[in-house]
Amino acid sequence: MQLPAQAVAATVLIEVVRISALPTKLGAPYPGEVVTHWAGSEAADALTLIETLPGSEQHRCGFSPGWSVRAYEDTLDLVLFEAAFCFSCHEVRMHGADVPPALAKQFFDPAAPPAQTLLALFREAAR
């Protein structure tokens, strides 16, 4: 999976969100509870893991994401990007100032080891 390189390089903090609904307007944050923050090597490791997610074909479920990550730069006032993951339809939707249109919608294999590791990290954070 491709993440916006410039945003990844600037990321110092990641919020993990347990999504409770879809946004009411395009580009708005996914509503839900922030379950944890990853900083430093945890944030870098998470981004590396996300970038290793293998591609997949789209599966139809209507896009019902359960988790998202929000990446912040050192000022913590602007979200560089948010990526919402639907493990049912294999889709990731990204938005943010640094997200080019070509990266806004991607597909990943949720059964692949990196995806299962990411899902386990999400679930562990929600405990």
Side-chain angles (χ1 to χ4, degrees):
M1 180 179 158
Q2 265 190 293
L3 295 174
Q6 183 177 355
V8 168
T11 298
V12 299
L13 179 85
I14 293 176
E15 283 183 333
V16 177
V17 178
R18 181 67 170 126
I19 298 172
S20 59
L22 292 176
T24 56
K25 64 180 186 175
L26 189 63
Y30 284 83
E33 177 186 359
V34 175
V35 296
T36 197
H37 293 95
W38 294 330
S41 64
E42 275 186 313
D45 291 347
L47 293 171
T48 298
L49 180 63
I50 292 167
E51 288 179 317
T52 66
L53 294 176
S56 177
E57 293 183 14
Q58 181 177 14
H59 288 71
R60 298 282 179 202
C61 86
F63 190 68
S64 182
W67 303 95
S68 79
V69 293
R70 294 182 189 138
Y72 291 86
E73 62 185 349
D74 57 1
T75 61
L76 303 179
D77 61 352
L78 176 69
V79 176
L80 296 168
F81 69 91
E82 181 173 19
F85 297 83
C86 181
F87 283 78
S88 296
C89 67
H90 307 194
E91 188 173 336
V92 177
R93 291 186 187 173
M94 264 191 293
H95 63 266
D98 290 340
V99 179
L103 301 184
K105 182 191 268 190
Q106 299 180 54
F107 300 95
F108 71 102
D109 180 356
Q116 289 299 300
T117 300
L118 183 62
L119 183 57
L121 290 172
F122 289 157
R123 289 177 173 161
E124 180 65 28
R127 289 185 190 176

